[in-house]
Amino acid sequence: MLTVKAIDHIVFNVRDVETSALWYERVLGMKRTDATSEKGEQRTSMIFGHHKINLRPIDAVQESWFTGKAPSVGSQDLCFLTDALPDAVAAHFRRCKVNVELGPVQKSGARGRIRSVYVRDPDGNLIEVSSYE
């Protein structure tokens, strides 16, 4: 039987790669990497920990980016973990001029109770930043 053990990367469909890359660098402290695909196309990824988010332009053709059947912008809902306290996370977002939509609030994570702060990225994706209690 097959059992998966981790997530390696995810793909976000974005309106503007530059806008999204700058936001993830500035607001969440991710590192940007750019590479050229085997077809000679520019690809931008955001690296954090042992993971990455590939930023796929929504207008990219299906043949260039092998992706889901109905790519759309703003449909992601993702939770990132941090060691920072929730009040510090909310204060950081306010300093970055990012609207806190909810939080800090208590939620249930994969390993137990977490405290979460919710914001939206430039494409409207719901971004939850949480820490375990």
Side-chain angles (χ1 to χ4, degrees), residues 18-93:
E18 284 302 314
T19 299
S20 293
L22 288 171
W23 191 89
Y24 282 94
E25 281 180 314
R26 180 178 65 85
V27 177
L28 296 183
M30 294 181 183
K31 181 182 177 213
R32 176 186 178 147
T33 61
D34 293 298
T36 304
S37 75
E38 60 279 353
K39 296 180 181 181
E41 299 164 327
Q42 183 71 22
R43 301 285 176 105
T44 299
S45 299
M46 306 309 298
I47 306 294
F48 60 103
H50 297 288
H51 312 286
K52 76 174 180 172
I53 298 172
N54 293 332
L55 300 178
R56 177 193 180 274
I58 191 64
D59 58 358
V61 294
Q62 176 75 23
E63 293 76 28
S64 296
W65 282 77
F66 188 65
T67 191
K69 291 196 183 257
S72 61
V73 172
S75 62
Q76 304 298 320
D77 183 341
L78 190 64
C79 178
F80 294 105
L81 294 176
T82 183
D83 290 330
L85 295 174
D87 289 335
V89 171
H92 168 76
F93 287 142

Side-chain angles (χ1 to χ4, degrees), residues 11 16 41 46-47 51 91-92 105 107 113-114 121 126 129 132:
V11 178
D16 184 287
E41 299 164 327
M46 306 309 298
I47 306 294
H51 312 286
H92 168 76
V105 294
K107 295 290 182 172
R113 292 171 30 164
I114 54 176
D121 76 0
L126 186 62
V129 178
Y132 277 92

